[in-house]
Amino acid sequence: MDLSRHYTELAHKAHGINDGFYPLGSCTMKYNPRINEKTASLDGFTGVHPLQPESTVQGCLQVLKETEEALAAITGMEAFTFQPAAGAHGEFTGLLLIKAWHRANRQPRRTKIIVPDSAHGTNPASAVMAGMTVINIESDAKGCVDVDKLRELCEGEEGQNIAGLMLTNPNTAGLFDPNIQEITRIIHDCGGQCYYDGANLNAVMGIARPGDMGFDCVHLNLHKTFSTPHGGGGPGAGLVGCKEHLARFLPGKTVKITGEKDGCPVYAMEKSDDSFGEMKSFYGNFLVVVKALTYIRSLGAEGIRQASEGAVLNANYMMAKLRDKYDIAFDTKICMHEFVMDLSSLLKETGVSAMDIAKGLLDHGIHPPTMYFPLTVHEALMVEPTETESRETLDWAVGVLRQLYDTAHADPQALHGAPVTTPVRRLDEVGAARHPVLRYTCAE
Ligand SMILES: *Cc1c(COP(=O)(O)O)cnc(C)c1O
């Protein structure tokens, strides 16, 4: 009983999407329909073993195939691997795919990868893990890729060493790059491949496709856009999709239709001779795929598009209601699924930082936005409301943020001391990182 109470007490101290607003930018903390859990817990999906004969798991293979087809239609790709367990793992996979392509084309010297400074932090990290050298390219004043700088780099001597480009679009400032097709053309012209970080597809699914923008491969975070609960450490899935020319290098096995029996397709798993290897055992986190297919099927093509439209509308609604008080980074007129507030001038005027405002939000039961990211904005708060929040919630959250702005001017000290209503007060974050306490000590 004591153990059970201990965990229940801990659960009450945590903040999840079911407790309140959770506008954590670049994370898509949206409502995950319960029916996803219901289908993923069906015996036919949980009681199987990956080494069972294929003839006895036809339904599971059908789930993989139909998910692949749906995601191919959404992204404009041809084939997917289900193995990667997370977004960063997908990036690593995609880069190894690009490496395999260059190796097959006898271009092993192509080891440099261009990553814009607005990229998610995992991008350069994955590139280094894949044995590549990162070339950072600065954003222009609008927060997008500086096309002139990119052209100069790719048309110069360095062009023949370029493996490709990693890009997030919309980028981490919530902006859709207006030059996207020009960018991918420049990379292809110098012999590189284009990798799309599709962790946050929430702004574009059903509307725009990475394949049509000129990308060769993409990873998707099923645990963000396609509605698997996350934030608690997994399991997730960072599927990687690619165009035809890269498909033979994909890791692990992919599902093929090999014939027909009693009017139904017969599914089989096949590994290509050119596959670069394995990223994870068997088919990755299969039940996450079941949830994604349930989500896609229950929304339908129309609903998928509406989800994106709602996400973009909600972000723009909040941004419009805040911009007379808070500065919006890059003077963004219209954002995608998220927007970035720049609190540098608030800090200068009042001494109240992005951190203080984030802590103030905790006292109102709101999970803080993503802080101090993207790195290109100094006092950044990155807000992603998602499509599953009601207008009432958005209005209320806007009211709280406006009130905190006023408090910053009237009584800055109050915000330096926030939070005051949470189970623990302001934490020593540097101390926690340098000297982590990893064991629970029972009370005397
Ligand atoms: C979340 C995210 C990732 C990393 O995904 P993980 O599943 O946390 O590894 C990569 N890129 C972008 C843009 C993201 O938002």
Side-chain angles (χ1 to χ4, degrees):
M1 190 71 244
D2 290 335
L3 188 65
S4 163
R5 283 184 188 142
H6 167 65
Y7 283 113
T8 305
E9 187 190 324
L10 287 183
H12 287 158
K13 283 180 178 167
H15 181 95
I17 184 72
N18 294 306
D19 299 301
F21 192 39
Y22 206 142
L24 190 65
S26 203
C27 288
T28 314
M29 306 303 285
K30 63 177 166 185
Y31 171 69
N32 303 298
R34 294 300 178 268
I35 188 168
N36 298 352
E37 301 300 326
K38 219 169 170 174
T39 51
S41 59
L42 291 173
D43 289 347
F45 294 135
T46 58
V48 290
H49 191 280
L51 291 176
Q52 260 176 254
E54 279 167 1
S55 63
T56 65
V57 286
Q58 285 290 302
C60 295
L61 298 186
Q62 186 178 353
V63 165
L64 293 175
K65 189 69 195 164
E66 291 188 6
T67 307
E68 180 180 36
E69 285 167 359
L71 294 175
I74 290 170
T75 56
M77 296 290 145
E78 285 290 327
F80 275 84
T81 170
F82 295 92
Q83 285 195 339
H89 200 199
E91 294 167 23
F92 184 41
T93 305
L95 292 169
L96 293 181
L97 202 57
I98 290 176
K99 226 175 154 177
W101 163 255
H102 288 310
R103 202 181 300 124
N105 290 327
R106 301 187 192 285
Q107 303 243 320
R109 67 164 186 277
R110 292 191 177 271
T111 55
K112 301 208 170 158
I113 188 107
I114 302 171
V115 183
D117 60 4
S118 64
H120 196 266
T122 49
N123 288 191
S126 303
V128 170
M129 277 189 69
M132 295 188 178
T133 311
V134 175
I135 303 181
N136 194 325
I137 182 144
E138 280 171 43
S139 306
D140 62 15
K142 290 191 183 122
C144 294
V145 173
D146 189 324
V147 178
D148 292 330
K149 281 207 182 113
L150 183 69
R151 196 177 291 118
E152 199 180 309
L153 176 70
C154 294
E155 288 177 0
E157 211 165 297
E158 196 72 311
Q160 53 185 309
N161 301 323
I162 301 292
L165 163 89
M166 286 184 96
L167 197 72
T168 311
N169 186 45
N171 64 21
T172 51
L175 306 173
F176 190 100
D177 203 307
N179 303 312
I180 193 66
Q181 283 177 316
E182 177 68 11
I183 292 166
T184 54
R185 194 176 315 124
I186 293 171
I187 297 297
H188 285 145
D189 282 351
C190 85
Q193 292 281 293
C194 298
Y195 182 87
Y196 183 96
D197 179 336
N200 307 286
L201 212 66
N202 225 34
V204 297
M205 59 175 180
I207 299 172
R209 311 196 310 167
D212 300 334
M213 298 175 206
F215 287 90
D216 303 289
C217 55
V218 49
H219 89 260
L220 303 175
N221 278 23
L222 297 190
H223 49 288
K224 284 176 182 167
T225 313
F226 296 96
S227 182
T228 273
H230 63 290
L239 310 196
V240 171
C242 65
K243 293 228 173 113
E244 180 94 60
H245 65 284
L246 294 177
R248 66 190 166 106
F249 304 110
L250 282 173
K253 292 179 176 175
T254 46
V255 191
K256 298 273 184 295
I257 296 176
T258 53
E260 212 189 87
K261 199 177 159 212
D262 306 330
C264 296
V266 175
Y267 299 94
M269 300 298 290
E270 278 173 16
K271 186 164 175 176
S272 148
D273 291 342
D274 296 326
S275 166
F276 73 68
E278 301 282 330
M279 293 304 289
K280 195 179 190 308
S281 55
F282 304 109
Y283 323 119
N285 287 325
F286 173 66
L287 295 176
V288 176
V289 179
V290 175
K291 291 180 206 185
L293 185 62
T294 308
Y295 181 70
I296 293 170
R297 278 289 144 81
S298 50
L299 289 184
E302 191 57 29
I304 288 282
R305 186 186 171 98
Q306 277 172 9
S308 287
E309 288 170 348
V312 172
L313 182 63
N314 280 359
N316 278 283
Y317 182 78
M318 275 193 83
M319 182 174 77
K321 293 222 152 198
L322 288 168
R323 72 180 320 150
D324 62 317
K325 290 202 185 273
Y326 291 95
D327 294 334
I328 305 299
F330 307 111
D331 201 22
T332 307
K333 298 285 178 293
I334 291 185
C335 64
M336 293 288 119
H337 60 300
E338 59 194 0
F339 63 95
V340 178
M341 305 196 292
D342 181 351
L343 278 63
S344 316
S345 60
L346 184 73
L347 178 63
K348 213 183 291 161
E349 285 162 23
T350 66
V352 168
S353 64
M355 176 72 88
D356 293 329
I357 296 287
K359 298 295 183 194
L361 285 168
L362 289 172
D363 280 330
H364 295 268
I366 296 179
H367 192 287
T370 294
M371 298 184 290
Y372 298 100
F373 183 81
L375 302 174
T376 43
V377 178
H378 289 303
E379 286 291 315
L381 284 183
M382 182 196 222
V383 183
E384 181 184 4
T386 82
E387 72 281 11
T388 57
E389 294 298 338
S390 65
R391 178 159 167 195
E392 286 72 19
T393 300
L394 300 182
D395 282 334
W396 166 74
V398 163
V400 170
L401 276 161
R402 294 180 68 87
Q403 184 193 326
L404 291 176
Y405 181 92
D406 293 340
T407 306
H409 287 87
D411 182 10
Q413 206 49 44
L415 285 172
H416 298 321
V420 295
T421 61
T422 46
V424 284
R425 303 279 297 265
R426 180 88 57 128
L427 294 168
D428 173 4
E429 297 189 7
V430 176
R434 300 258 161 85
H435 309 286
V437 179
L438 300 175
R439 282 169 76 179
Y440 180 79
T441 313
C442 291
E444 291 296 308

